[in-house]
Structure formats: structure tokens, C-alpha cells
Amino acid sequence: MGLAKTEIFTDQQNKIALFAKVFGHPARVAILQQLFKINTCYCGDLVNEIGLAQPTISQHLKELKNLGLVKGSVEGTSVCYCIDAKNWTAMKAVMAEFLDQDITTSDNCCKN
């Protein structure tokens, strides 16, 4: 298998790709939606809320934490999670700049 060669792309391009990857699985989207829905630190059982096995939820949380969109803390025997507001805001700014691009060429390109 070849290397991803991420070093040939800008930091911005790599960030956008990582954000897109984390949103590329519906379980991670569901986890984020659940955390936004409760709008506080969530110490409950995401397995019951999302409907996936604990190891699967843990793996998706790990991806979200690695990217910094979610943070967690251990309280007794449970781990509590919440959205990292600072990193979420930064991610939104990066993605908004990318998604707000408009096509400036005429409609003469790529006609069927």
C-alpha cells in the first residue's frame, strides 16, 4: 500500500481532510449530536443512546478525541464526555472557509 503523502499538502488541506474523515461515519455524527443534545458533560451510557457495542463507541470516541472535537474525563468508574467548544469553533471556521467558496467560472465549462 502506498503512503498518503500528506506532507505534500498544506496544513489547511490536511485539516479539512481530517475533519471530513471524522464526519465520514454516521456513528461519530450520532455521538456528536447526542453530546450537543444534552449540552453538558455526558457521563451516561452512549451505548444505550447510540445502539452500538461499547468497543465500537469507544473507538469512535477515540477518533473524536484525537481530533480534539470531544474531551473526556474519568469520574469514578465512568468516563464523561463533552464537546470541546474551543476546538469545535476552530473546526467550524476552517470548514466554513472551505465550504463558502463559490464557483466564479461561467457555465461554459463541462457541458454535457
Side-chain angles (χ1 to χ4, degrees):
M1 182 184 330
L3 297 175
K5 296 189 178 184
T6 57
E7 70 276 356
I8 68 171
F9 302 103
T10 67
D11 287 343
Q12 182 97 346
Q13 290 166 334
N14 280 300
K15 281 182 190 177
I16 292 167
L18 287 172
F19 292 139
K21 180 182 176 186
V22 84
F23 292 123
H25 197 288
R28 291 190 283 267
V29 173
I31 289 168
L32 289 167
Q33 286 176 322
Q34 180 64 26
L35 294 177
F36 273 112
K37 182 173 137 184
I38 57 156
N39 197 29
T40 186
C41 195
Y42 186 74
C43 300
D45 189 3
L46 284 171
V47 170
N48 291 332
E49 297 296 329
I50 307 297
L52 296 173
Q54 182 62 54
T56 304
I57 295 290
S58 293
Q59 184 61 37
H60 289 301
L61 282 166
K62 180 181 174 186
E63 293 290 327
L64 292 165
K65 283 181 71 176
N66 285 344
L67 197 53
L69 297 180
V70 169
K71 56 186 175 180
S73 62
V74 178
E75 292 185 11
T77 59
S78 63
V79 181
C80 297
Y81 296 98
C82 64
I83 301 293
D84 186 313
K86 179 181 173 187
N87 289 340
W88 183 263
T89 300
M91 179 276 305
K92 284 180 19 178
V94 169
M95 294 304 289
E97 182 180 343
F98 175 69
L99 294 172
D100 283 344
Q101 298 178 91
D102 289 320
I103 298 171
T104 57
T105 62
S106 68
D107 287 336
N108 294 331
C109 181
C110 302
K111 289 191 177 207
N112 292 336

